Amino acid sequence: MTSATMHSPADSQRRLVLWLLVAAYTLNFVDRTIVAAIGQAIKDDLKITDTQLGLLGGLYFALLYTILGIPLARLAERASRVKIISAAIFIWSGFTALCGMASSYAMLAACRFGVGVGEAGLSPPAHSLISDYYEPEKRASALSIYSLGVPIGVMIGAVGGGWLAQNYSWRVAFIVLGLPGVLLALVIKFLVREPVRGAMEAEPSGPLKPYVLREDVLETGRVARAMFRNWTLFNMMMGITLISFAGYGGGAFVQPYWSRTFGLDYAQVGLITGLIGGASQGAGVLLGGLVSVRFARRGATIWYGLVPAIGIALSYPLIVAIYSADSWQAAAAWMLFPGALSYTYMGPTYGVVQNAFPPERRATATAVLFFVLNLIALGFGPPLTGWLIDHLGAFHHAYPAVEGIVPALVHLFSIDAGAFQAACPGGAGPIAGSAADRACRAAVELATRQGVLIAYAVGLWAALHYLLAALGLRRGMPRTD
């Protein structure tokens, strides 16, 4: 009798665990991306730049998130993953609520650091937990379902955050959307059982090694080297990092773009972008896992790389159509499609990584993947996009007759963005409705469109890496044992 048959949980139990983890990942992304949903309200209130706004949604959150991810993952290799997840949810939810009580930009930034501390404790132990509830051939599908937390969280954050910011304030949005996590933390702690490690493997795992700091550091290095030296894993890691850079960078300014371009209020923007974009992304997450698993069952593991490569490449022309539309109705119609194509990368990527490592290394493998992904993509995607928009805006404000993106990029480093911020604090003129105000808003609108399109174009680079990974997958799934 194999380990998998001895320890296989009941279907009802594994479904409960999976959907509770989906709920946790949903709140993770609500609290992670809420700055994008209510960013324009924060900018208008605190009179900050798009670079500062990008830092709130990016580096200030991502720095401790990435640094703590690996030690927490190493802890999850030997301690209760359920307890780690519960504590993490409690911490990040509390700091999200505290963001609503910040009286200055500095205090808001400090609370965002705290959110990152808590969120570091979810995905590595969650991936490991799911892998001990589901067989190897079902992991990509299960991890795709877990990844539904991304589009659902973005949807709730956009719709709920936009409505709360419009009808109350951005501070209320942080508080209301942060507090439910405290309750979920308790539910997970008391309802989820810690499974046997390696329960779904043909052979049981060996005894857990005692904690030795030096050995933990060495083991993390061994896992990292295995990922960087394996052709398939390296390209999967580069692919997910670059498409996430595009998604975090461009996505941080989607709602501000709609407000600036079409003049919609926060609630309207949240409803449109949240529901349409979230539904499209959710479809992509599910399709990526289901399609790649179906082909892989026929022996064609190459589709774990081809599905995301094709989907991401096909999505970019549709993104260009969204940000070239003359009306919000046309832009909303085009928004139905890109997420369903580009978000196909999640299930295949996580499935390949989890299947490549033995049970005692899976949380660490996820942490290494997320360290690279989040430091580069989440840490620098939003602030670099914000910096780009600030400088593009400065150029278009100084040269309003020149609308082309190439001249603006040529002068990107020579333009005085500080003078632009002084003339247009918060992206608007000192007197609403004046000629100066209209000039400021026109420059910011054009700069936002161009900055978002440049950020999303990084996804084409990601598609290339998934194609290279597919070439490696022709020989089958990578193994690092």
Side-chain angles (χ1 to χ4, degrees):
M1 182 177 294
T2 67
S3 173
T5 56
M6 288 175 60
H7 301 292
S8 182
D11 287 342
S12 58
Q13 183 185 1
R14 70 169 77 186
R15 281 195 298 268
L16 172 66
V17 171
L18 182 57
W19 285 109
L20 283 174
L21 291 176
V22 170
Y25 206 29
T26 296
L27 292 182
N28 181 289
F29 261 80
V30 169
D31 296 347
R32 182 185 308 192
T33 62
I34 187 176
V35 170
I38 61 177
Q40 190 63 41
I42 297 172
K43 181 176 182 178
D44 291 343
D45 185 22
L46 301 181
K47 303 300 180 186
I48 60 176
T49 66
D50 281 329
T51 304
Q52 290 174 303
L53 191 60
L55 286 168
L56 285 176
L59 190 61
Y60 293 159
F61 167 87
L63 192 60
L64 291 180
Y65 177 71
T66 53
I67 291 173
L68 292 176
I70 290 177
L72 286 174
R74 292 302 303 158
L75 179 64
E77 303 289 22
R78 54 177 57 83
S80 168
R81 291 161 289 186
V82 174
K83 290 180 180 178
I84 293 172
I85 291 170
S86 298
I89 298 171
F90 187 88
I91 292 170
W92 92 58
S93 299
F95 272 107
T96 298
L98 286 174
C99 285
M101 302 177 188
S103 59
S104 67
Y105 179 79
M107 288 182 64
L108 185 56
C111 289
R112 289 295 291 172
F113 273 106
V115 176
V117 170
E119 293 205 6
L122 175 62
S123 279
H127 281 211
S128 176
L129 206 62
I130 290 169
S131 295
D132 283 339
Y133 271 100
Y134 287 87
E135 298 85 351
E137 63 274 13
K138 295 181 180 179
R139 280 178 194 145
S141 296
L143 287 165
S144 288
I145 293 173
Y146 169 74
S147 298
L148 281 174
V150 176
I152 297 173
V154 171
M155 183 187 302
I156 293 173
V159 176
W163 187 87
L164 288 165
Q166 182 65 38
N167 291 280
Y168 297 96
S169 72
W170 61 266
R171 299 178 187 280
V172 171
F174 272 122
I175 295 169
V176 171
L177 294 177
L179 290 178
V182 176
L183 176 61
L184 181 63
L186 296 174
V187 171
I188 287 178
K189 185 178 187 302
F190 291 109
L191 291 187
V192 176
R193 284 169 38 192
E194 182 75 19
V196 175
R197 291 180 192 268
M200 294 294 106
E201 308 306 311
E203 297 296 331
S205 300
L208 294 178
K209 297 179 181 179
Y211 175 77
V212 179
L213 178 60
R214 182 176 180 276
E215 178 58 28
D216 254 27
V217 173
L218 291 174
E219 178 67 0
T220 301
R222 286 190 284 266
V223 171
R225 283 194 298 273
M227 294 190 71
F228 277 95
R229 291 178 178 178
N230 183 284
W231 171 268
T232 301
L233 292 178
F234 172 76
N235 280 290
M236 295 291 275
M237 179 168 58
M238 288 300 298
I240 194 172
T241 298
L242 291 168
I243 188 59
S244 297
F245 182 97
Y248 283 127
F253 295 93
V254 167
Q255 284 94 344
Y257 169 80
W258 281 64
S259 294
R260 298 168 187 179
T261 302
F262 302 120
L264 302 176
D265 65 37
Y266 306 134
Q268 291 171 321
V269 171
L271 188 65
I272 295 167
T273 61
L275 290 181
I276 298 175
S280 178
Q281 293 162 11
V285 170
L286 286 177
L287 284 172
L290 294 174
V291 172
S292 59
V293 166
R294 178 165 297 233
F295 279 113
R297 283 175 178 167
R298 301 174 184 172
T301 53
I302 189 173
W303 287 97
Y304 282 110
L306 283 182
V307 167
I310 294 170
I312 292 168
L314 291 177
S315 71
Y316 188 69
L318 299 169
I319 292 172
V320 173
I322 294 172
Y323 295 97
S324 302
D326 293 328
S327 68
W328 71 262
Q329 293 90 341
W334 283 113
M335 189 174 274
L336 286 166
F337 308 105
L341 292 168
S342 64
Y343 271 70
T344 51
Y345 70 88
M346 286 192 171
T349 305
Y350 297 147
V352 168
V353 171
Q354 287 294 291
N355 284 334
F357 288 90
E360 65 275 10
R361 284 183 164 183
R362 285 179 183 148
T364 305
T366 298
V368 170
L369 175 67
F370 275 44
F371 180 88
V372 176
L373 185 164
N374 288 305
L375 185 61
I376 296 173
L378 181 56
F380 293 99
L384 284 179
T385 305
W387 179 90
L388 182 61
I389 292 171
D390 283 335
H391 284 72
L392 290 171
F395 175 85
H396 291 304
H397 185 258
Y399 304 97
V402 184
E403 296 186 354
I405 193 170
V406 174
L409 290 175
V410 169
H411 295 87
L412 200 64
F413 292 97
S414 60
I415 201 74
D416 188 354
F420 171 61
Q421 173 64 13
C424 306
I431 302 175
S434 65
D437 180 58
R438 291 194 296 272
C440 289
R441 293 181 185 277
V444 171
E445 175 191 333
L446 180 57
T448 306
R449 175 187 293 112
Q450 293 175 344
V452 168
L453 284 173
I454 292 171
Y456 278 126
V458 176
L460 297 174
W461 186 5
L464 174 62
H465 280 285
Y466 276 113
L467 181 61
L468 294 174
L471 297 178
L473 285 163
R474 289 182 303 174
R475 298 186 295 271
M477 281 285 192
R479 299 294 300 177
T480 63
D481 296 338

